[in-house]
Amino acid sequence: MASDSRVLNSALRSRIMSAEEAAALIPSGVNVGMSGFTGAGYPKQVPAALAKRIMDSNLNGKKFKIGVWTGASTAPELDGALAMVDGVEMRLPYQSDPICRKRINAGEMEYIDIHLSHVAQSVWFGFLGKLDWAVIEVAGITEEGHLIPASSIGNNKTWLDCADKVILEVNSWQHPALEGMHDIYYGTQLPPHRKPIPLVRPDDRIGEPYLKVDPSKIVAIVETDLKDRNSAFTPPDQASKQIAGHILEFFEHEVRKGRLPRELLPLQSGVGNIANAVMNGLNEGPFDNLTAYTEVLQDGMLDMLRSGKLTSASSTALSLSPAALAELYTNIDDYRRRIVLRPQEISNHPELIRRLGVLAMNGMIEADIYGNVNSTHVMGTQIMNGIGGSGDFARNAYISIFMTPSTAKGGDISCIVPMVSHTDHTEHDVQVIVTEQGLADLRGLSPKQRAKVVIENCAHPDFKPVLKDYYRRANSYAAGRHTPHLLEEALSWHLRYLRSGKMPRDTADELSERVGGATSPLARAPQ
């Protein structure tokens, strides 16, 4: 053991070994719960060593696969390494790795896309099968044997509680001053013995600063010094800034109407450049004394904490660029007081989200004219990443907002379509849709009223005429129907893209004139 080792518990020092030795303990066919949430706090050396072992086993004709369960997405050293050697039988509950995604969409890896708040309880209920192993990164082990969490918590508490055997990666790259930032709540119980969670403010601390584990479960400890794989964010483009501007105007309108307090309500923001653009807009906007109750803390929220616009932030992970991480650690004593990192079963808990009145802002792939949202699938069948926590927040938020640029693929795809090719969030959970073109407030509107507002406010000018034409003909054909659709044509936009690489820009009349009125679903649809 090195003199600067962070394994301070003398009884556990004998279990320190290499990553290769630790990986050799994991057999094929088991389910492994690994730490990690949006590229933060994931194990780095054991998965790589395990991937090497799997590759060698496969070369010798012995198929070796495991189930991989995490908090959310990880990084190439985990998801990418194991997917590269075809070592994952089942992946859940969320991923964003391109190799992993390719195998899932090729039918070579099974994948279960789960609401992030549901994962821990589903494991406790036994719905997902047996959790055999846990591989968890921590920032250190205290003399008493407590585990100092790293830059994310995710499902680590549940993995440590439920797994038969545990491997710990003690990463000295994780800043020692993270100790005390975490709040691990051990009061959750199974039905019918559940009790209310005693959290009434976003910054309340209701648990303990350390993770606990039965020492007899720990079979290996690997000491590492490797950084999280977080990259710098792209500066907000014009579309992102416009989306942010529409949301800020909406919040100001809600304050004037008396539907929001001047300090707003706790903010939740999904991952990505649009989300950071919204935070940048709020940082420069008129609102003060803001709070956040979210699942991921990104650069934009850290900027708001630094400026004082945001007084506190609750999250389950720190997903920061290198520059933002340097800022965090430079002023860690101040940030540690105002940032609370929780297990994701608390950060994404539906009852807490509803009771706190969270303002939820999440990205999407596409929305249809009636307000249904697809946030996971490209062209209906190809998984992108997963639903993540967007459903936890959208269904239970005070206001649920979904945002995207109005077009994709250089303008060949409209992100506002007649019918989404896959539904993750139904019209019942979607209150506001925003693109760079404008904002559609869908609260209190019937389907027909929603369609008019979505098309007029959110669609790109290139696609607005054909959307209006679709709705006109659908409403004429299905007069009196609650949600008018031309079922023959509703998904034809996606089919058109798959066949030609572009969604339609022509109205039925224009297309009929050009093709003689006989060859297109648009032309054949009822008039």
Side-chain angles (χ1 to χ4, degrees), residues 364 366-373 402 404 406 414-420 427 430-435 437-443 445-461 463-464 467-468 471:
M364 62 180 177
E366 62 181 359
D368 67 30
I369 59 177
Y370 296 111
N372 301 288
V373 164
F402 282 92
T404 183
S406 62
S414 173
C415 296
I416 306 298
V417 293
M419 179 184 284
V420 288
E427 61 189 86
V430 179
Q431 294 175 309
V432 177
I433 291 175
V434 194
T435 72
Q437 301 297 322
L439 181 146
D441 182 355
L442 308 181
R443 295 172 298 174
L445 302 184
S446 70
K448 294 176 184 177
Q449 292 170 327
R450 287 198 295 266
K452 294 176 182 178
V453 173
V454 169
I455 294 170
E456 187 60 40
N457 291 8
C458 298
H460 191 277
F463 293 99
K464 188 178 293 186
L467 283 167
K468 287 182 175 180
Y471 176 70

Side-chain angles (χ1 to χ4, degrees), residues 12-80:
L12 294 176
R13 289 172 184 164
S14 63
R15 301 177 205 181
I16 297 175
M17 62 183 72
S18 69
E20 290 72 21
E21 291 172 318
L25 300 173
I26 301 175
S28 179
V30 297
N31 292 319
V32 183
M34 298 198 186
S35 61
F37 198 106
T38 58
Y42 58 93
K44 299 163 178 69
Q45 287 197 343
V46 172
L50 183 59
K52 175 64 166 59
R53 181 179 170 214
I54 291 172
M55 181 177 66
D56 293 341
S57 179
N58 291 342
L59 288 174
N60 292 326
K62 298 178 181 179
K63 202 65 177 174
F64 192 125
K65 287 194 174 187
I66 61 172
V68 175
W69 306 358
T70 61
S73 58
T74 61
E77 298 97 321
L78 197 164
D79 268 322

Side-chain angles (χ1 to χ4, degrees), residues 104-133:
I104 292 168
N105 286 323
E108 299 166 352
M109 181 191 301
E110 298 299 327
Y111 179 54
I112 305 176
D113 185 17
I114 309 177
H115 292 298
L116 296 188
S117 69
H118 290 183
V119 181
Q121 67 174 15
S122 293
V123 174
W124 279 107
F125 295 165
F127 293 170
L128 303 178
K130 183 75 177 65
L131 180 64
D132 304 289
W133 286 73

Side-chain angles (χ1 to χ4, degrees), residues 204-477:
D204 281 349
R205 293 180 180 270
I206 59 174
E208 307 173 19
Y210 305 107
L211 288 161
K212 298 185 290 190
V213 62
D214 180 349
S216 67
K217 290 184 177 184
I218 301 174
V219 298
I221 297 173
V222 177
E223 295 185 298
T224 71
D225 185 20
L226 297 172
K227 64 181 181 179
D228 286 339
R229 182 71 70 94
N230 286 329
S231 56
F233 289 99
T234 304
D237 59 15
Q238 186 61 29
S240 297
K241 292 178 181 178
Q242 288 173 313
I243 290 170
H246 296 319
I247 292 176
L248 260 67
E249 288 179 7
F250 172 74
F251 285 158
E252 290 186 74
H253 175 266
E254 292 300 289
V255 170
R256 289 195 299 270
K257 288 290 186 179
R259 292 190 287 252
L260 281 176
R262 191 66 202 171
E263 66 277 13
L264 303 183
L265 288 167
L267 304 171
Q268 179 265 335
S269 178
V271 178
N273 290 323
I274 295 178
N276 269 313
V278 174
M279 293 303 109
N280 290 340
L282 285 167
N283 200 25
E284 298 169 358
F287 307 111
D288 297 308
N289 299 313
L290 303 174
T291 60
Y293 194 83
T294 189
E295 58 186 354
V296 177
L297 194 146
Q298 294 190 110
D299 288 24
M301 280 192 178
L302 192 74
D303 290 341
M304 293 177 70
L305 285 165
R306 181 172 65 238
S307 71
K309 284 282 188 177
L310 196 65
T311 62
S312 66
S314 170
S315 175
T316 194
L318 302 171
S319 186
L320 300 171
S321 68
L325 198 63
E327 159 62 24
L328 175 78
Y329 290 153
T330 298
N331 299 288
I332 188 67
D333 290 337
D334 176 58
Y335 288 122
R336 190 174 53 242
R337 292 186 301 103
R338 298 194 289 148
I339 296 173
V340 186
L341 296 182
R342 313 182 189 277
Q344 71 189 62
E345 62 183 305
I346 302 299
S347 68
N348 289 50
H349 197 289
E351 190 275 332
L352 295 175
I353 293 166
R354 176 168 292 192
R355 180 151 49 84
L356 293 172
V358 171
L359 302 176
M361 296 170 281
N362 289 284
M364 62 180 177
I365 292 174
E366 62 181 359
D368 67 30
I369 59 177
Y370 296 111
N372 301 288
V373 164
N374 168 20
S375 61
T376 61
H377 284 68
V378 176
M379 297 296 142
T381 61
Q382 300 286 301
I383 191 73
M384 177 56 72
N385 297 331
I387 196 167
S390 59
D392 299 326
F393 286 92
R395 174 157 289 188
N396 301 284
Y398 183 80
I399 299 176
S400 62
I401 300 172
F402 282 92
M403 49 200 181
T404 183
S406 62
T407 62
K409 294 294 183 182
D412 290 334
I413 291 177
S414 173
C415 296
I416 306 298
V417 293
M419 179 184 284
V420 288
S421 60
H422 176 91
T423 305
D424 293 292
H425 312 283
T426 73
E427 61 189 86
H428 313 289
D429 301 328
V430 179
Q431 294 175 309
V432 177
I433 291 175
V434 194
T435 72
E436 83 285 1
Q437 301 297 322
L439 181 146
D441 182 355
L442 308 181
R443 295 172 298 174
L445 302 184
S446 70
K448 294 176 184 177
Q449 292 170 327
R450 287 198 295 266
K452 294 176 182 178
V453 173
V454 169
I455 294 170
E456 187 60 40
N457 291 8
C458 298
H460 191 277
D462 288 350
F463 293 99
K464 188 178 293 186
V466 70
L467 283 167
K468 287 182 175 180
D469 180 66
Y470 172 86
Y471 176 70
R472 175 187 61 79
R473 291 181 295 110
N475 201 42
S476 175
Y477 173 67

